[in-house]
Each structure stands twice: as structure tokens, then as C-alpha cells.
Amino acid sequence: LKVRAIPKVKTCGGPRMADNTQTTTTAMAEPAVVPMEQEAPIDLASYIANYSGTTRIQRLYFIAKKCPQLSAEAYRTAITELKQGVNTILYTEVAKAAAESLGEPFTFSQLWVDETNRRAAQSQERLEVELNGYKTNLIRESIRMGHNDLGAFHESRGEFPAALKCYIRAHDYSSSSAHDIALYLNVIRISMMMDNPGYVLNYVTKANAVPPDPQQTPAEKMILQSKLSCASGLYHLSAKQYRHAARKFLEARAEMGDQFNEIIALSDVAVYGGLCALAAFDRQELQHKVLENGAFKLLLELQPEIREAIHNFFSCNYAQCLQILERLRPALELDMYLSEHLTALLTRIREKALMQYFRSYVTVDLRRMAPAFNSTISALEQELSRMIMDGKIQGRIDSHNKVLYSRTVNQRVATFEGALEMGDQYLRSSNAALLRMNIQRHNLSVVTKTQEWGHHDSPHERGGILSGLMSRFRGRTRHHE
């Protein structure tokens, strides 16, 4: 049996996505994380109750590696959950990691692994025999269900490539839009676990293109669209496309409930959407798309601190907003989808706050600006210097007097330069239009085939021929005038 480690648990479904589907099974790789020194920032039992399926184990394993204070409890819960299933490869990975990290209380049970593998082999043989019987009888619906059952079995074993093949084969026997949607959701879920972004985005697009099912209620349509939006948002988040991710998360609705908790919980949607919106949206977008979005405000009720941070940012209370985000940071670091992007998101939010603060002034005293951003004068000066060098702030710093000056632009000169540039563009487009008209008037065409130009003509000679043609057109035009 060839074993592949699940992609590192730090990006969009845990690890960074890779377009490799030639793997055979899924043991979790040891995440490249640094143990935290803070006290336990979350209540593990209430936190993990929001999830189900493989993502529940992945999150427990990530927390066990990330937070030493919760390591023992997370390992114990993960091993207990794994022993209730048949994923022996993931159990082996987690149990051995727990034994190495915590010692005697966590022992690896080879007897349980052998017994579970034996029972799993019997179940797989039975499912394959049933599927072959359905194929012999040519019962399409039974064949489709047989492929789905076999795919679910491989999924429970952690053999995601095999599960993906079974789910895709079921598509040949689908007979309704409901069957297609169920198939696409299965493929999306497996692709998230395999960390394959191409499949996630491809099948989200296919699901959106499926004709609506007349038997589907409006509530079911809303739930389906919320699932697809969340999957698309996770893809864009993993690709660091925070604006697109924010737009997708903002499309989710509270009616989805816990029906997608094998991938993401509603509270996560509020956190991801709120942070991505703060990092990517301007002030007007933040107001119209977040604060005035009644559907998303229901999700923000699940995360009141994120809601308060957004309100403070919009109200220019940057110190309170940044304090809230720093207070939430230890808990957010334990989210396997968000952990890798958290530093980048918080940096963007802080830079946006600095730019908005400075935009209203011609000069700013750094001694008064530093307390507004919970920073020292020297640290703020270095931060502003870096932003000036990157072109994010148009200004200059008087280091002696600790004053930030805005680089004013002469609006009159800028207006005249813009008018001249627009005039040049108009002349170029007018000359091009006249050239096309003359070519059509004289029924001429420019031949670009190699044999017409000659095999030995240089690019310079070809350019001279075109210039000659254009001169002839102008001459004929003046002659007719």
C-alpha cells in the first residue's frame, strides 16, 4: 500500500493545494507549526463540536501540533474518534505522533489496526460484488448507488483518489439534476481533502451550471448556493485572492446551518468573510457589502468580536479594532485554513488603517499617531517608512521632528497632462481609423504569408514595405482632396 501524507495542515483545507491526484491514500503530514506559549485560547470540546467527518480529525491534529496546552486533550479526542471508524492509516499517523509527543498514556494498537483492516477488506469485497451484480442486471439507478456506496467506503478509509474515481464514475448513471448536484458536492468535498484546487473550482462551476431542479424548494436552493460559495471562498483564500474570497463568503446564508460542517462551520464563514473584507474592501464596499448586508449580519452574530472590529474600523476607531484582532489572534492561529494567511490579513488591515488615517491630513505628528495604533514612535516610523518605500503612502518623514508630511500633487498640472495624453490618444486612434478607411477604399490587403514576403526578407525590410504602403495611402488621399 502506497501512503501519501495529507498536505500540510496549514492552508485551505489543511495544507497548500496541489494538482496531484496520483496518490493512493491519506496519512496526515506533520504540520510545520511553532508551539504557542499562550494559555489555551479556546474551549476544545465546544470548538470541535462544530465539525464532523475527516475535517474534525484534521483540526484536532492541527491543534495538537500547534498548541501544547491542548495537545493531550486533542490527541485523546482524535484517537477516540478514529477508533470509531476504519481509517487505520490516519490512526497510525496520529497515534504514533501522540506517543512520541506525550509518551506512555498514548500507545499505538497494532491489534486494532489489523482487525479493522480485515473487516474493511471484507466490506470492500462485498460492495464490489454488489456493484458487479448491478452492472450485470443493467439497473442504472442501482449502479449509480453502488458507485456512491463504494466511494463513501473509500472516503471513510481515507483513500481519497479511489473515492474520487467512484464518485466520478457515478456521473455516467445520473438521471436528474439532483443526482448531478450530489455528485459535484461529493467531488468538491473529496477534492478539498485531497487539496486539489483545480477540481474544487471546476466542479463548483459545473454545479452552478446545472439546470434548477423543479422539485427543489427555495430554501434548498439557498443552502446549495451557500455551500458552493463557501467552497469557492476557501479556494480563493488558499490562493491568497482575498477580495474574491470575501465576495464568496459574503454570499453564504445562515440557513445553511451545519449542513456543510464536514468542511466549514457557519462561525468560520463569519470570521473568514469579515477578515478578508477588512483586508481587501475599501470603505464604501465595507459599508454596502458588509455592514448593510442583512444576511451576513446574521452570521456576524455568531462572532460578535469580529462584528465589533468591523464597526470600529469603519468608525475610524483603529486602536480598538486592532486590539480586538490581536486579542483574537491566538484562537485564529488554531484554524487550519486561516493560520497561514492570518499574518498577511492582519498586516493588510493595519496598513489600510494607516493609509485611511493619513489620507485626511497634510501633516501628522507621529507622537500623536502612535497611541492611535497601539505602537511606539520608532516602530511606527519604521512601518511608515516601509509603506512609503512600497508606494502605499505618498509622503515623507521628518525624523528629527517626528512629523509625516503628505506629498501634495499640483492638480492643475495633473489636469493639463491628462488632457494632453487624451489628445495624443485621440490622434493615434484617428490616424488608425483613416488608415483602415483608405485600405478598404482601394480594396487593398496586406499579405503576411512567408512566401509572399520572401524567405530572406528581414523584419526591417518588411517594416519598410508597410511604411511605403502607408505613405502611398496618404499621397492618394491628398491627390483626391
Side-chain angles (χ1 to χ4, degrees):
L1 183 65
K2 183 180 177 182
V3 178
R4 177 184 82 95
I6 274 189
K8 292 185 179 180
V9 203
K10 285 187 63 180
T11 55
C12 170
R16 181 174 302 279
M17 294 183 165
D19 292 325
N20 182 12
T21 59
Q22 302 300 320
T23 53
T24 307
T25 186
T26 61
M28 289 191 60
E30 187 169 322
V33 294
V34 179
M36 301 189 307
E37 299 178 356
Q38 298 92 344
E39 296 182 359
I42 60 173
D43 179 5
L44 184 62
S46 60
Y47 171 79
I48 208 63
N50 296 321
Y51 308 98
S52 64
T54 303
T55 192
R56 182 182 175 98
I57 309 301
Q58 289 180 347
R59 288 178 181 271
L60 285 168
Y61 189 43
F62 183 85
I63 292 172
K65 291 289 186 180
K66 186 81 171 178
C67 183
Q69 294 81 2
L70 294 172
S71 182
E73 184 182 358
Y75 274 129
R76 186 180 298 107
T77 307
I79 291 173
T80 302
E81 296 274 349
L82 286 167
K83 280 195 170 183
Q84 295 174 2
V86 292
N87 194 340
T88 54
I89 296 174
L90 187 54
Y91 166 78
T92 302
E93 178 75 16
V94 174
K96 289 185 176 180
E100 292 176 2
S101 177
L102 302 174
E104 186 63 28
F106 299 90
T107 56
F108 172 70
S109 176
Q110 185 64 45
L111 180 63
W112 179 86
V113 171
D114 294 339
E115 178 63 21
T116 304
N117 285 337
R118 184 186 63 80
R119 289 187 284 104
Q122 294 175 353
S123 299
Q124 181 176 351
E125 183 179 0
R126 176 179 56 81
L127 290 171
E128 290 175 348
V129 169
E130 291 178 355
L131 179 59
N132 290 331
Y134 298 147
K135 289 181 178 179
T136 302
N137 296 328
L138 299 177
I139 306 174
R140 291 181 59 87
E141 179 62 17
S142 298
I143 295 173
R144 185 187 67 84
M145 295 179 63
H147 280 300
N148 283 336
D149 291 341
L150 193 57
F153 169 79
H154 285 301
E155 183 180 352
S156 66
R157 290 280 290 163
E159 300 166 351
F160 297 137
L164 184 64
K165 291 178 181 178
C166 291
Y167 286 135
I168 292 178
R169 286 170 184 166
H171 182 264
D172 296 334
Y173 305 94
S174 297
S175 57
S176 66
S177 298
H179 293 166
D180 290 338
I181 290 296
L183 163 70
Y184 295 152
L185 289 176
N186 287 334
V187 174
I188 289 169
R189 184 179 65 255
I190 295 298
S191 300
M192 292 290 296
M193 295 176 184
M194 290 178 60
D195 215 23
N196 190 331
Y199 270 38
V200 172
L201 193 60
N202 184 24
Y203 279 88
V204 166
T205 304
K206 287 184 177 182
N208 283 320
V210 172
D213 187 354
Q215 299 180 352
Q216 197 175 36
T217 64
E220 291 174 341
K221 293 179 182 179
M222 186 179 298
I223 292 172
L224 171 62
Q225 192 57 48
S226 296
K227 291 181 179 181
L228 298 178
S229 296
C230 289
S232 181
L234 287 174
Y235 164 77
H236 289 299
L237 178 63
S238 70
K240 299 183 179 180
Q241 300 170 355
Y242 301 130
R243 173 176 290 276
H244 296 297
R247 289 175 178 173
K248 290 301 179 180
F249 287 127
L250 291 174
E251 294 175 1
R253 297 295 179 263
E255 288 78 4
M256 183 176 69
D258 60 354
Q259 298 189 39
F260 206 45
N261 62 357
E262 65 269 20
I263 297 295
I264 190 174
L266 275 181
S267 58
D268 296 332
V269 178
V271 173
Y272 302 164
L275 291 180
C276 290
L278 280 175
F281 287 173
D282 57 30
R283 186 179 178 83
Q284 186 175 4
E285 288 178 313
L286 199 63
Q287 178 181 4
H288 295 310
K289 296 181 180 180
V290 181
L291 296 178
E292 296 179 359
N293 186 339
F296 192 71
K297 286 172 70 175
L298 293 177
L299 296 179
L300 288 177
E301 295 296 328
L302 301 173
Q303 293 289 344
E305 292 182 305
I306 295 293
R307 179 194 60 197
E308 185 180 353
I310 294 174
H311 279 286
N312 284 325
F313 188 91
F314 183 76
S315 302
C316 300
N317 298 323
Y318 302 121
Q320 290 85 341
C321 173
L322 298 175
Q323 284 176 356
I324 292 172
L325 295 178
E326 286 299 323
R327 188 167 64 246
L328 290 175
R329 184 167 190 152
L332 298 177
E333 287 282 0
L334 299 181
D335 188 293
M336 67 180 189
Y337 291 108
L338 191 60
S339 179
E340 182 186 5
H341 307 278
L342 189 58
T343 299
L345 287 170
L346 296 184
T347 300
R348 288 194 180 195
I349 294 170
R350 183 176 178 84
E351 289 180 348
K352 276 187 59 181
L354 288 169
M355 289 187 287
Q356 289 188 13
Y357 183 94
F358 179 59
R359 190 175 300 162
S360 304
Y361 302 97
V362 177
T363 61
V364 177
D365 190 341
L366 298 185
R367 289 180 288 266
R368 300 183 60 182
M369 187 177 179
F373 288 90
N374 301 320
S375 179
T376 62
I377 297 176
S378 58
L380 180 63
E381 184 176 351
Q382 293 177 1
E383 190 173 6
L384 290 172
S385 299
R386 185 177 64 254
M387 293 179 67
I388 291 173
M389 294 295 294
D390 293 340
K392 297 176 180 178
I393 289 181
Q394 301 298 320
R396 51 193 176 86
I397 299 175
D398 183 349
S399 297
H400 178 70
N401 296 318
K402 303 301 180 186
V403 177
L404 175 63
Y405 293 96
S406 173
R407 289 182 180 174
T408 58
V409 179
N410 191 325
Q411 296 295 334
R412 184 177 180 181
V413 173
T415 301
F416 278 113
E417 289 178 350
L420 290 173
E421 183 178 357
M422 186 178 297
D424 292 338
Q425 292 177 356
Y426 176 76
L427 288 175
R428 287 194 295 270
S429 61
S430 299
N431 288 331
L434 289 172
L435 176 60
R436 287 192 295 271
M437 290 170 58
N438 282 316
I439 289 176
Q440 293 176 356
R441 178 186 300 175
H442 298 284
N443 296 321
L444 296 177
S445 61
V446 178
V447 180
T448 58
K449 293 182 180 179
T450 304
Q451 59 269 27
E452 297 295 337
W453 289 107
H455 293 287
H456 304 289
D457 290 342
S458 65
H460 178 72
E461 293 171 344
R462 298 174 188 175
I465 294 172
L466 287 174
S467 300
L469 286 173
M470 294 175 65
S471 299
R472 291 174 59 191
F473 295 153
R474 296 191 185 100
R476 292 186 180 183
T477 303
R478 295 192 190 99
H479 176 70
H480 287 301
E481 290 175 353

